[in-house]
Amino acid sequence: QVQLVESGGGLVQSGGSLTLSCAASGRAFSSYAMGWFRQAPGKEREFVAGVTGNGGTIVYSDSVKGRFTISRDNAKKTVYLQTKSLKPEDTAVYYCAARVSPSSTWANGRVYDYWGQGTQVTVSS
């Protein structure tokens, strides 16, 4: 069993930055691919970024490419999402997720096995 706890969300002005963290419990963290998703009010959940267990593959959605950076520290069992140049449309609850089995699909939430409770990011204009 893996538990994921996000932190680092908050209220920030447009153009600002935040670093989100996702701390994992359980074994074999380094074998899990990790993803960040977000969901804005009234909208579907959206894939943001993903990283493989060894950090060798990183993917981003087009909407955040160049502004967000995903990274992980396997010794600390933590994955990070550094955000910059935030826009009001980035406002959402941000979730991290862990995937046990290999998959070429990053954006489909159904391939992830564990989810955190989410952290709210609000960007004011």
Side-chain angles (χ1 to χ4, degrees):
Q1 189 74 12
V2 175
Q3 290 187 328
L4 304 173
V5 179
E6 302 94 336
S7 62
L11 173 64
V12 63
Q13 290 187 333
S14 181
S17 61
L18 285 173
T19 297
L20 308 183
S21 299
C22 173
S25 65
R27 301 179 179 178
F29 174 75
S30 61
S31 67
Y32 302 147
M34 300 296 296
W36 282 98
F37 288 75
R38 66 186 182 185
Q39 188 166 20
K43 295 188 176 181
E44 292 187 354
R45 183 175 58 196
E46 175 191 17
F47 171 77
V48 175
V51 59
T52 51
N54 63 4
T57 298
I58 289 176
V59 295
Y60 296 100
S61 67
D62 289 341
S63 61
V64 306
K65 197 174 296 182
R67 299 188 300 121
F68 290 12
T69 302
I70 189 172
S71 62
R72 65 189 296 160
D73 184 333
N74 286 339
K76 295 182 178 179
K77 297 184 180 179
T78 301
V79 62
Y80 304 96
L81 186 68
Q82 296 175 281
T83 70
K84 66 178 183 180
S85 302
L86 285 164
K87 307 173 183 179
E89 50 264 43
D90 293 317
T91 295
V93 178
Y94 284 70
Y95 300 90
C96 68
R99 192 178 77 213
V100 177
S101 301
S103 173
S104 60
T105 302
W106 286 95
N108 185 350
R110 295 180 181 180
V111 304
Y112 293 83
D113 302 283
Y114 304 101
W115 291 82
Q117 293 300 306
T119 185
Q120 175 71 48
V121 172
T122 303
V123 184
S124 63
S125 57

